Structures are given as C-alpha cells and as structure tokens.
Amino acid sequence: MEKLIDKFKGIHPGLILERELKKRRLKKGPLALSLNEYPQTLNDITKGKRGVTASLSIKLDQILGLEEGTMLILQAYYEIQKEKNKRNAADKPDLSILRKILFWDTDFDKINWKSQYKSVIQRVLERGNSDEKNELIRYYGQDLVNKVAINSIGRTVRDI
C-alpha cells in the first residue's frame, strides 16, 4: 500500500478510481449499484467533484482488493495538497500593485516569488514605482529588500 499511496499522493482518489475501473473493465453504474450507492455519486467522485467517504472507502477497497483505508488515505492526502495549494497561492505579493510590464521577458504567472526573490527585487528597484517598491517591502520585509539592494546597486531602498 505504501508504494500506491506515495505514487498517487495529492491526486484526487476519484481519478485513481476511474483508472482502476478502466483497467479492470468495470462499469461505474453496475459497480455503484452493487455497492448500494447511487451511480451519480460514483460518477461525481470519478470526476473529482465529490470526495470519498469512510463508508465508501471500505466498500471500494474491498471490491478493488486494496488494503482497508487506502481510498480514504488518498482522499486525506488530496485534501492536504489542496490546502497547500491554497496557501501557496496566497503566499505572493499583491499582484494588482505590481505591473506585469516590469517582467516583460518572463511568464508573469510562473514567477516563483520565494525562490526568485533576488531578481524580482532587483527588477522592481530598477524599474518600479514607489507603490511597487513598498509592496516588495511589505511582502519580503525591509531587511531582505535592503540586503538585495546593497548587493545589486550598492545602496538601501531609502537611498533610492
């Protein structure tokens, strides 16, 4: 089970279920009825619109020959990944303040604001307006912005 869990960690269990059903040539409708579930429920799960409950996990694990709790553990890892994605999305500067034109030579939506902080700070210090510089200070902190500023242009943000 460990290999299965590690392989599919963070993926919606419904997608894994869909894959297993195709591999075994099982139809969702008859399977759902054999589990005393509505076919729509199973369909929603395989489309990623609904999660796997503990009760359904026990039934699916038994029918698919998986270790008890496998589908529920996959559901838990999916929920964890979903929460991490939410946190990462919120963990960036206010993009309504930063102009995309400052980053004309890169895909703005793919900037990793944490790991590429030096180039982001340098670019905004060189070409940004005061609102954009203040947003960097708010997001990265005065100390980090000053450290990058001193290393790249030889002065602190207050000197600019």
Side-chain angles (χ1 to χ4, degrees), residues 16-28 31 42 46 60 63-64:
I16 299 159
L17 176 60
E18 178 80 21
R19 180 176 172 259
E20 283 298 313
L21 295 178
K22 282 182 182 175
K23 269 178 35 179
R24 298 168 191 233
R25 294 191 172 117
L26 295 172
K27 301 277 185 199
K28 286 184 252 182
L31 175 64
L42 206 55
T46 59
L60 288 171
I63 285 210
L64 297 174

Side-chain angles (χ1 to χ4, degrees), residues 5-154:
I5 298 293
D6 289 337
K7 184 176 178 181
F8 297 120
K9 206 181 254 189
I11 297 173
H12 192 283
L15 301 175
I16 299 159
L17 176 60
E18 178 80 21
R19 180 176 172 259
E20 283 298 313
L21 295 178
K22 282 182 182 175
K23 269 178 35 179
R24 298 168 191 233
R25 294 191 172 117
L26 295 172
K27 301 277 185 199
K28 286 184 252 182
L31 175 64
L33 295 174
S34 73
L35 298 171
N36 290 327
E37 295 287 339
Y38 291 108
Q40 296 90 336
T41 301
L42 206 55
N43 191 48
D44 283 351
I45 290 170
T46 59
K47 300 287 185 220
K49 296 178 181 178
R50 185 182 281 203
V52 175
T53 63
S55 170
L56 184 57
S57 172
I58 292 169
K59 296 174 191 177
L60 288 171
D61 292 339
Q62 191 173 29
I63 285 210
L64 297 174
L66 301 172
E67 190 174 327
E68 190 175 86
T70 300
M71 295 303 279
L72 193 59
I73 290 170
L74 289 172
Q75 181 69 40
Y77 276 120
Y78 171 73
E79 297 296 330
I80 290 168
Q81 186 62 47
K82 205 164 74 169
E83 186 60 32
K84 283 181 180 178
N85 291 345
K86 278 185 202 173
R87 289 180 181 204
N88 288 340
D91 194 24
K92 57 177 107 175
D94 185 349
L95 301 181
S96 67
I97 295 173
L98 297 176
R99 294 171 292 154
K100 286 185 177 184
I101 195 70
L102 292 174
F103 305 94
W104 74 91
D105 56 346
T106 189
D107 186 349
F108 189 77
D109 297 323
K110 292 186 180 177
I111 294 173
N112 185 324
W113 300 98
K114 289 289 185 190
S115 67
Q116 297 173 322
Y117 71 94
K118 288 179 185 174
S119 22
V120 168
I121 293 171
Q122 287 173 348
R123 183 68 60 94
V124 173
L125 291 179
E126 291 170 2
R127 296 185 172 89
N129 61 34
S130 60
D131 289 339
E132 291 163 333
K133 291 174 185 173
N134 287 333
E135 177 56 21
L136 284 188
I137 292 168
R138 184 204 63 80
Y139 178 67
Y140 291 115
Q142 184 77 46
D143 293 338
L144 184 59
V145 173
N146 280 335
K147 180 180 169 187
V148 172
I150 289 169
N151 289 337
S152 64
I153 57 176

